[in-house]
């Protein structure tokens, strides 16, 4: 069962098995390794934490639109070539 908690700013966050699956695949790790960059080096270029890069690569977190654009620009790719939305089975 998913649980909800709120931050001091009132932002709602979900956690639990239902919310760990983002529904989006990505090629970030593959592209990063093609450029021989560590997660630490790449996070520095993107001005985010190494944990953010790890979470995106493990598909636990979807980047903000701003970060997705920066990643796409860095790799000179389109966002949709890096981040692939999975089709949901509507049963």
């Amino acid at each position: 069962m998913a649980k909800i908690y709120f931050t001091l700013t009132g932002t709602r966050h979900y956690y639990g098995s239902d919310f760990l699956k983002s529904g989006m695949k990505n090629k970030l790790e593959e592209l990063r390794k093609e450029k021989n960059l560590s997660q630490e080096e790449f996070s520095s270029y993107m001005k985010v934490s190494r944990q953010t890069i790890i979470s995106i690569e493990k598909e636990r977190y979807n980047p903000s639109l701003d970060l997705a654009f920066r990643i796409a620009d860095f790799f000179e790719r389109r966002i949709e070539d890096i981040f692939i939305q999975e089709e949901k089975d509507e049963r």
Side-chain angles (χ1 to χ4, degrees):
M1 172 174 273
K3 297 177 183 171
I4 301 172
Y5 70 93
F6 294 88
T7 63
L8 292 175
T9 60
T11 305
R12 190 180 325 189
H13 295 273
Y14 299 92
Y15 62 98
S17 60
D18 293 344
F19 291 94
L20 288 178
K21 297 178 184 174
S22 68
M24 188 176 300
K25 299 288 182 188
N26 72 72
K27 298 179 180 179
L28 184 56
E29 183 176 9
E30 174 186 332
L31 293 170
R32 178 182 57 77
K33 287 181 177 180
E34 282 177 8
K35 290 200 176 258
N36 295 316
L37 292 171
S38 69
Q39 290 170 329
E40 186 69 39
E41 291 167 325
F42 184 61
S43 68
S44 178
Y45 286 123
M46 294 295 104
K47 298 183 178 8
V48 297
S49 70
R50 186 173 137 278
Q51 291 297 47
T52 296
I53 299 303
I54 291 168
S55 293
I56 295 170
E57 287 183 355
K58 292 187 179 287
E59 299 169 356
R60 287 191 221 139
Y61 170 75
N62 291 330
S64 67
L65 191 54
D66 177 62
L67 180 54
F69 271 109
R70 286 189 285 146
I71 291 169
D73 286 345
F74 181 86
F75 290 112
E76 299 177 335
R77 305 279 179 103
R78 297 178 313 161
I79 288 176
E80 58 268 26
D81 294 334
I82 300 171
F83 301 98
I84 301 99
Q85 181 69 39
E86 287 187 316
E87 292 185 30
K88 294 183 180 180
D89 187 11
E90 306 275 335
R91 290 187 195 186

